Amino acid sequence: MWPAGSAIPTRNITGSLNGPYSVFVTANGDVYVDNGYKGRVRKWTLNATTSVTVMYVSDVCHGLFVDMNNTIYCSQGHANVIVARSPDGNANSSKIVAGNGSSGSTSNMLYFPMGIFVDINFNLYVADCDNDRIQFFKYGQMYGTTVVGEEASVSFALSNPTSIVLDANSDLFIVDSYNTRIVRSSSTGFRCVIGCTNAGGSNSDQLPYPWALAFDSYGNIFVSDYNKWSYNDTASVTVMYVSARCDGLFVDMNNTIYCSQSEAHIIVASSPDGNANSSTIVAGTGSSGSTSNMLDSPTGIFVDINFNLYVADSENDRIQFFKYGQMDGTTVAGVEASVSFAFSNPTSIVLDADNYLFIVDSNNNRIVRSDPTGFRCLVGCTDAGGSDSDQLRYPWALAFDSYGNIFVTDEYNNRIQKFIFQTNSCVHESWHIPSGII
């Protein structure tokens, strides 16, 4: 934390945080921090060195807000809801105050909500990111009104709004992320106030990819501005520009780079013969869906020696197979496959040299493998997540080393697990579960 006018921090907040997405500071100096990957929101009072859990959540909070009554609001983008916890209840007593848990664009639905703001009358404003709009929910109502966006009474096009603030004059300030600008309401409608060149950049009047916005007590605006990510080291070059984060990466034998963009529901690829800007869509349409040419939040990807593409189609609970050059896929793992097998949020996939699939079945806390008769659980087969050596808790990614050992990122246990490959005299394969972790 930095005092006003200083570039030197005077306080660091720590305490087993795991990928915090959002922070909120109240007028009296209390700090609320999302720790959703550990299933909670934590609070540090002014000058405290330790925190307390004030709210348990089922997923990360992409936005946090605390109103005048100390009610805590958490926007859960993956779940498409806003949940709130009253100060009179316990940390487990949250309820849904906006959204119904499914993505959609009707007045009672949200699609990956991000930033939130609650006014003095306890009305709720939501940056409804993937619907490209700002939704307004009157206190106690579950049906919202579009106040900014193409469906509003005064139409104004937004692209992935991520943060919203209502000032003392009831003017809205919006981070219009993919349009790389800050938008403000006025008596005549909406207008751009920062980053109005229609192009992102690093000049003082430009924003590459703004994310969050806040005011200080003097009315100054602070914007968190993150650029498109590319791998950089002291001797690196940028090989691919992307419009959103890559939830999965793969480089095939021809050095073509593949990037799965869960927020855009597509897989893009960049040929080594092109420049860093020359990527093309190789799977997905850009909209979420479950038809053969669509994806919903794809994550892990794998390309075989014939350049066929396998996709962990996370929110559709399936693995999709796209033959080289084809945009219509086939479900090879999931309830719609020829051999039905139920997955829940698969996040990573690897095809081994024997053409067996290894799949991280994240919400089922297990690793699944194909075999000649179908699919079977290989690791984490107790039907319950945990921290024992034979258990996983929301695993995310999987990889092999050159000896056939499996390494798994065990996300909610904050560890990497190694499972040792073994063969016996009958040439049957198994993976030994060691007692330790790496």
Side-chain angles (χ1 to χ4, degrees), residues 251-275:
V251 181
D252 70 19
M253 293 191 302
N254 284 344
N255 288 323
T256 298
I257 306 166
Y258 299 77
C259 161
S260 66
Q261 298 184 331
S262 67
E263 293 177 349
H265 313 293
I266 55 175
I267 313 300
V268 295
S270 176
S271 167
D273 300 326
N275 61 48

Side-chain angles (χ1 to χ4, degrees), residues 155-335:
S155 180
F156 191 91
L158 302 173
S159 182
N160 278 74
T162 54
S163 182
I164 182 168
V165 172
L166 187 73
D167 73 3
N169 297 320
S170 294
D171 290 330
L172 287 172
F173 288 77
I174 302 162
V175 176
D176 190 15
S177 184
Y178 279 17
N179 284 326
T180 65
R181 64 185 179 178
I182 308 300
V183 172
R184 173 188 174 170
S185 66
S186 65
S187 58
T188 58
F190 291 87
R191 62 185 177 90
C192 178
V193 292
I194 300 172
C196 306
T197 60
N198 296 321
S202 57
N203 294 331
S204 60
D205 62 344
Q206 292 179 309
L207 300 167
Y209 273 89
W211 188 260
L213 176 152
F215 286 88
D216 66 12
S217 58
Y218 301 100
N220 301 312
I221 297 176
F222 293 78
V223 178
S224 64
D225 182 21
Y226 78 94
N227 203 343
K228 290 178 284 190
W229 187 91
S230 61
Y231 178 77
N232 276 293
D233 204 338
T234 56
S236 71
V237 294
T238 298
V239 293
M240 185 180 187
Y241 287 102
V242 291
S243 60
R245 70 169 185 261
C246 296
D247 293 86
L249 272 178
F250 196 91
V251 181
D252 70 19
M253 293 191 302
N254 284 344
N255 288 323
T256 298
I257 306 166
Y258 299 77
C259 161
S260 66
Q261 298 184 331
S262 67
E263 293 177 349
H265 313 293
I266 55 175
I267 313 300
V268 295
S270 176
S271 167
D273 300 326
N275 61 48
N277 287 298
S278 64
S279 61
T280 58
I281 296 174
V282 294
T285 64
S287 298
S288 63
S290 59
T291 58
S292 63
N293 67 329
M294 301 179 81
L295 301 167
D296 192 351
S297 301
T299 53
I301 47 181
F302 191 94
V303 180
D304 66 21
I305 59 175
N306 297 311
F307 307 106
N308 302 312
L309 172 66
Y310 294 80
V311 181
D313 192 12
S314 240
E315 294 295 328
N316 279 324
D317 301 325
R318 67 186 184 181
I319 303 300
Q320 288 295 90
F321 171 78
F322 295 86
K323 286 188 69 68
Y324 175 67
Q326 302 296 312
M327 295 295 289
D328 285 285
T330 303
T331 301
V332 294
V335 293

